[in-house]
Amino acid sequence: MTLDREELRDGWTVSLVEDGASGVAADLPTGVRGVTLPATVPGQVHTDLERAGLLPDPTFDRNETRTQWVGRSDWAYRRQLDVDPRGHERVDLVCDGLDTVAELSLDGVPIATTRNMHRRYRFDLRQVETSGPVDGKELEIAFESPYREAERVAARAGSMPGPYDEPFPYVRKMASNFGWDWGLTAVTSGPWRPVAIERWSTARLADIRPLVDVEAGEGVLDTHIALERSGPTLHGTSTGDLDLDGEDDDLVLVVTVSGPTVDGRTTKQRSRAQVTPKEDGAVVTVRVPDAALWWPRGYGEQALHDVVVELQTVDGAVLDRRSFRTGFRSAGVRTALDSAGRPFEVVVNGTVIDIRGVNWIPDDVIVSRVDRARYAARLDAAVDLRANLVRVWGGGVYESHDFYELCDERGLLVWQDFPFACAAYPEDEPLRGEVIAEAQDNVARLSRHPSLVVWNGNNENIWLHDVDGWGDELGDRPWGLGYYLDLLPTIVDAVDPSRFYTVASPWSGSESIEPNHVDHETHHSWDVWNRVSDDHYRDSVPRFVSEFGWQAPPAWRTLRDAVTDDPMTPTSPGVVHHQKAADGMAKLARGIESRFGSAGDDLDRWHYLTQLQQARAIATGVEHWRTHWPRNTGVVVWQLNDLWPVSSWSAIDSAGRRKPLAHELRRLYDDVLVAIRPVSTVDTAVRAAPTDVDDRTGGPAPRTASLPVTDSAGSGTVPGDDGRDDPSRASDASPVEVAVRSARTGLDTVVRVRRIDLSGRILAEETLPVVLDRPGVAVVRLPASVGVVDDARDEVVVADMDWRRAVWTPAPDREMRWQPARYRATFSVTPEGDGLDLVVEADSLVRDLLVQPDRVAATGTVDRGFMTLLPGERVRYRLTGVVEADIAALTSEPALLTLDRVLAERRSEAEA
């Protein structure tokens, strides 16, 4: 008989647990005690309490402080359970995720205890001796407050330094449940992933690890399969002797792969292996000639192959079956020393990928609410932003298969952190055993996904240990380093050696080199934002920037829906509560002040300028780093998404609305990027180190990590000689240059460079060639006629190549003499009838025009962010969720704003 899985989704209840051990939270509201509520499974208790009207939405206004009692309470989930084997030999209770500290029982008889949100559990119910009918037993999962478990572990391990006064290092749970510098505190409990009964006989597929590679154009799938046998019955008779000849029988594993070939055909290949009673598994290899390869988006198709794994008897009866998709590709990361230090080059199918990434945090503080549709919406947005890598950050969770399947389909590479973030972690029991089990479980579980290319040991723990002086508090106590340097790489090497492991982010590749060194492997750029202005992004060219960012509030509608302050200002209580970063509001103000001057206390002005400052700051970093390829081979912005309405570094807010930064990333992450930058003296050429140099990378190197990679620096035209290498050059040499990064192809085109005054009058113009013989960076030196301004407060430099535009402002915007923008706006109904087309035609220079239809209609969206137009130019916006009756409001402030208008209003207020 084939394994039968029955998910337990209905009939659950949840109630508060009150006994001498648990106690009751001091701020428990009335109406909770003694009440049994219908429960959603998979789910967490916050949603059930909210649905019953017993808990306010913790993300609304300042309700967060009124909901803390939930995480300090104990909860019991119950339902009736049918444990009838229905002709099978085994009945297992399978829990795909329990959050977090739980005791399971059946009719009051203990089954097991758990203490890890990040792993799966399976329990043989034959071992649970109960009485009564098999179809009416009560299953109870009692969840203890995570705080209580953390207190017990902390009492043994001692204090662990970190940035927050919350005990997340002591319990294997989503750390950001306890709050973060962008997150609220909502400590959850509940069966957050499916709970099921599985009935089976003889044997089942216990673990499948499909490891792929490409050899001479042939796809190779090594399927590592582990079996579990049902074992003797409770009466001691064998369940493996199917033919009753007195000996257990062999079993057969069959792996079938079907999918596309390079010439467009569909192929099907099958391999099998016989497993004796003394064996608990096998490796079944399937070779697929001319298999179409899986590529990251922008580099080729995302060819996926269907895989079916069957466990059969020798007579062909199917005992268990699994099916999934995978893709054939080789992947690795090159970190061998070169003339500049250690690179961090992500290589897929022999090609160095120009990484343009986004950091991913849990998309909801109640993480069980994130379904496949939500994943798809966020990841589709990442694709639209032209990202090609998603880093799953270490304060969250190992996401569900839905997330990685969607990345597989979209060609989004995945960098997966192990869940260790920003703190010291105990290395003794019980945590060490949990870390081992969780790592083995998830490395195996995710091995099917071709998108997954990097496992990372932790987020910032080694760096913060050094720079924040954790050693003084820790003494000689272990703090997690043993996990990152020894335990986790050993597990990755044993379970999935096809993936690259890096010790940390940031990480320099060696304990002897400062972890966040710009010349070695990965770097987090946080001095900008925390301490200095964004022009300091240009101070260095890190080899790979895995975190950097600048804050802005959520979209106006998202903020307005979440905060009811009246009046609402940048300093009103609800707005400030929805800002969790240390000194966050002051940092926002300082960022605005340095470029635009004070925003004052007007919410509309503050909201516009914070959005513009975020977009400008990120552009400064990305333009600088991407145009210094191949010294820099990747940027990963912090962050893509949010889990509640908050001022944060995200490009997309918690309601799914795109900030202007999202639209700016579409330009910055395009295959071809045009930038105007200060003349650079950075040597971007990197040369391989001698072959006898020790290449210790801190983790096991997969066999595909040393594939030959074409030098993609390219060679670009450099018209004229601006004398940047000649100290005696006259002072009229251009201080800026145009840099063009082409990630996928060579170029043979031109760039039009104009110096204009703030009325839009062209003062000088040059058309200059841009030629690249292969992908790389072309640096175009500018003649003084367009590169040197006569009046830094009254001129800008504009570079246009095809549809791409870069604008250089010689002085801070607050010092510029911006003139009133003059333009005409016309509307028409879209052909689809789902919104309006807006065409804006400029009669003057129009700087940073922003259209915000969400200010007019809750469903309003727009397909562009800040736009700069020259006289006579026009731009078309597609607005959805709005109708003709909204046109008057859409053409009025603050739904439509320009920079000159915002700054003029502030000057008028200041003068008054």
Side-chain angles (χ1 to χ4, degrees), residues 177-190:
N177 269 158
F178 293 90
W180 220 261
D181 55 5
W182 36 257
L184 76 166
T185 300
V187 178
T188 55
S189 289

Side-chain angles (χ1 to χ4, degrees), residues 526-537 539 550:
W526 284 118
D527 279 344
V528 172
W529 167 254
N530 282 319
R531 282 172 282 279
V532 297
S533 56
D534 59 84
D535 58 300
H536 287 277
Y537 280 135
D539 291 350
W550 197 278

Side-chain angles (χ1 to χ4, degrees), residues 16 22-29 68-74 148:
L16 181 75
S22 64
V24 175
D27 51 351
L28 185 76
Q68 299 305 292
W69 62 271
V70 180
R72 296 187 177 276
S73 302
D74 297 348
R148 198 170 300 111

Side-chain angles (χ1 to χ4, degrees), residues 457-772:
N458 70 87
N459 176 76
E460 297 186 346
N461 296 0
I462 299 176
W463 177 39
L464 294 180
H465 174 275
D466 292 355
V467 299
D468 287 353
W470 290 355
D472 295 339
E473 180 178 343
L474 289 165
D476 59 358
R477 288 180 294 140
W479 52 274
L481 189 64
Y483 294 151
Y484 319 135
L485 290 179
D486 300 318
L487 180 64
L488 294 176
T490 298
I491 290 172
V492 173
D493 194 34
V495 177
D496 185 1
S498 71
R499 259 70 176 203
F500 180 84
Y501 174 84
T502 184
V503 169
S505 184
W507 177 243
S508 63
S510 171
E511 291 181 79
S512 63
I513 300 174
E514 185 266 312
N516 204 29
H517 199 292
V518 294
D519 292 334
H520 298 274
E521 299 197 19
T522 54
H523 177 74
H524 288 195
S525 183
W526 284 118
D527 279 344
V528 172
W529 167 254
N530 282 319
R531 282 172 282 279
V532 297
S533 56
D534 59 84
D535 58 300
H536 287 277
Y537 280 135
R538 302 191 187 105
D539 291 350
S540 64
V541 182
R543 306 309 300 272
F544 189 104
V545 185
S546 46
E547 279 192 22
F548 70 104
W550 197 278
Q551 271 201 1
W556 182 88
R557 177 70 61 173
T558 302
L559 183 62
R560 253 303 177 197
D561 286 348
V563 177
T564 59
D565 293 349
D566 187 15
M568 183 184 289
T569 72
T571 57
S572 60
V575 173
V576 172
H577 184 79
H578 286 247
Q579 162 68 272
K580 294 297 185 178
D583 200 32
M585 300 306 276
K587 290 173 183 175
L588 283 174
R590 289 194 292 269
I592 295 172
E593 177 72 32
S594 66
R595 180 170 268 132
F596 304 110
S598 171
D601 209 34
D602 180 80
L603 184 75
D604 292 337
R605 183 185 306 116
W606 174 81
H607 192 270
Y608 173 96
L609 289 176
T610 52
Q611 303 293 338
L612 181 55
Q613 168 61 19
Q614 183 186 40
R616 294 270 197 98
I618 297 305
T620 300
V622 175
E623 289 178 343
H624 175 66
W625 295 322
R626 284 200 68 203
T627 59
H628 283 88
W629 173 281
R631 186 184 183 96
N632 173 274
T633 57
V635 294
V636 187
V637 70
W638 185 272
Q639 66 215 58
L640 175 68
N641 58 325
D642 266 328
L643 53 64
W644 76 308
V646 64
S647 289
S648 84
W649 299 265
S650 72
I652 300 169
D653 69 26
S654 61
R657 295 187 175 98
R658 299 184 186 188
K659 300 180 185 178
L661 171 61
H663 301 289
E664 179 68 350
L665 283 172
R666 298 186 74 245
R667 178 184 75 88
L668 297 170
Y669 278 6
D670 191 62
D671 277 349
V672 178
L673 171 64
V674 178
I676 303 175
R677 69 185 192 189
V679 170
S680 175
T681 60
V682 176
D683 180 10
T684 61
V686 289
R687 293 162 291 280
T691 56
D692 60 348
V693 172
D694 176 26
D695 184 31
R696 190 181 71 79
T697 62
R703 56 183 171 178
T704 55
S706 59
L707 287 167
V709 181
T710 303
D711 174 18
S712 56
S715 57
T717 55
V718 188
D721 177 13
D722 66 1
R724 65 180 178 182
D725 298 322
D726 181 1
S728 64
R729 175 70 176 176
S731 61
D732 64 351
S734 172
V736 295
E737 60 194 6
V738 171
V740 181
R741 165 67 174 139
S742 180
R744 295 284 294 121
T745 64
L747 291 174
D748 187 357
T749 186
V750 295
V751 60
R752 182 187 185 193
V753 184
R754 287 172 282 182
R755 180 167 60 88
I756 65 174
D757 67 18
L758 297 191
S759 71
R761 182 168 59 97
I762 298 174
L763 305 175
E765 179 176 343
E766 297 283 350
T767 300
L768 304 169
V770 179
V771 179
L772 279 170

Side-chain angles (χ1 to χ4, degrees), residues 174-208:
M174 180 173 124
S176 51
N177 269 158
F178 293 90
W180 220 261
D181 55 5
W182 36 257
L184 76 166
T185 300
V187 178
T188 55
S189 289
W192 74 291
R193 282 184 170 157
V195 178
I197 286 290
E198 289 188 358
R199 299 173 174 90
W200 55 282
S201 299
T202 305
R204 70 176 187 89
L205 297 166
D207 187 44
I208 301 172

Side-chain angles (χ1 to χ4, degrees), residues 7 140-141 163 183 205 233 313 466 576 623 846 857 877:
E7 287 203 2
E140 179 183 270
I141 309 177
L205 297 166
T233 67
T313 68
D466 292 355
V576 172
E623 289 178 343
V846 178
Y877 296 83

Side-chain angles (χ1 to χ4, degrees), residues 714-871:
S715 57
T717 55
V718 188
D721 177 13
D722 66 1
R724 65 180 178 182
D725 298 322
D726 181 1
S728 64
R729 175 70 176 176
S731 61
D732 64 351
S734 172
V736 295
E737 60 194 6
V738 171
V740 181
R741 165 67 174 139
S742 180
R744 295 284 294 121
T745 64
L747 291 174
D748 187 357
T749 186
V750 295
V751 60
R752 182 187 185 193
V753 184
R754 287 172 282 182
R755 180 167 60 88
I756 65 174
D757 67 18
L758 297 191
S759 71
R761 182 168 59 97
I762 298 174
L763 305 175
E765 179 176 343
E766 297 283 350
T767 300
L768 304 169
V770 179
V771 179
L772 279 170
D773 59 3
R774 60 184 182 273
V777 176
V779 178
V780 182
R781 298 173 184 170
L782 299 183
S785 60
V786 291
V788 177
V789 299
D790 295 327
D791 186 344
R793 299 177 61 196
D794 195 51
E795 299 175 26
V796 295
V797 179
V798 180
D800 291 297
M801 194 183 84
D802 305 320
W803 57 268
R804 301 167 179 89
R805 167 166 289 174
V807 180
W808 178 263
T809 305
D813 291 83
R814 67 178 187 275
E815 298 176 7
M816 301 293 287
R817 292 189 289 267
W818 299 110
Q819 298 187 21
R822 292 178 286 108
Y823 54 86
R824 285 159 285 149
T826 58
F827 289 86
S828 60
V829 178
T830 62
E832 300 81 5
D834 60 347
L836 300 172
D837 281 333
L838 163 63
V839 176
V840 175
E841 187 167 356
D843 295 322
S844 68
L845 174 64
V846 178
R847 184 62 165 147
D848 292 317
L849 175 70
L850 182 65
V851 182
Q852 301 177 86
D854 65 296
R855 285 180 171 267
V856 175
T859 56
T861 67
V862 63
D863 64 346
R864 297 179 185 271
F866 292 103
M867 297 293 296
T868 293
L869 304 178
L870 305 188

Side-chain angles (χ1 to χ4, degrees), residues 62-106:
R62 289 178 282 170
N63 285 348
E64 177 190 8
T65 58
R66 299 169 54 199
T67 63
Q68 299 305 292
W69 62 271
V70 180
R72 296 187 177 276
S73 302
D74 297 348
W75 303 94
Y77 283 74
R78 299 181 181 92
R79 68 155 283 162
Q80 295 298 299
L81 191 64
D82 179 0
V83 297
D84 186 345
R86 300 177 188 173
H88 288 277
E89 296 159 358
R90 278 276 295 266
V91 180
D92 291 354
L93 177 65
V94 180
C95 301
D96 290 340
L98 298 175
D99 174 22
T100 292
V101 185
E103 180 175 345
L104 296 88
S105 62
L106 193 64

